Amino acid sequence: TTYDKTATTYGFGESARLNQALNTDTTYTGWAGDTPSLLRDINLYSSLPMYIQMYNGKAYGGMMLNSNGLDIILGEDKITYKMTGGIIDYYVFIGDTPKKVIKQYTDVVGKPMMMP
């Protein structure tokens, strides 16, 4: 997947990052772990290979739906997925705002339920 170099990327799973905007030239591993959140820059309870990018005030996103472990390489102008196997289902979400992108995403994966 390629994109403009000036886009800002968010997402790729639950983690304990202090800065939610992702850094380019970085590999993010999609592998869930039951790890205390006081440790920084490691995976937590879920592996959600979904991202949102902001470019010129508009939002769009993508999700690689795959149950196997994977590495997501966020380059300067492209995203590369490396999976250990499994089926590849790639979704693209286009919306003007992050809220519209998230709505499309939750239409695919489901919405959270309120606790009783």
Side-chain angles (χ1 to χ4, degrees), residues 77-99:
D77 62 352
K78 66 182 176 183
I79 298 172
T80 304
Y81 296 91
K82 293 184 176 182
M83 280 102 34
T84 60
I87 297 171
I88 296 173
D89 286 325
Y90 189 76
Y91 293 83
V92 176
F93 308 110
I94 300 172
D96 292 334
T97 64
K99 185 175 182 176

Side-chain angles (χ1 to χ4, degrees), residues 7-24 26 28 37 39-42 44 48 50-54 74:
T8 305
T9 308
Y10 303 90
F12 293 138
E14 183 181 16
S15 76
R17 292 187 296 264
L18 292 176
N19 184 1
Q20 295 307 308
L22 302 179
N23 297 319
T24 58
T26 303
Y28 296 93
S37 61
L39 302 173
R40 297 286 175 227
D41 298 319
I42 58 171
L44 294 177
L48 307 168
M50 187 272 188
Y51 68 92
I52 292 178
Q53 287 187 320
M54 295 297 296
L74 186 60

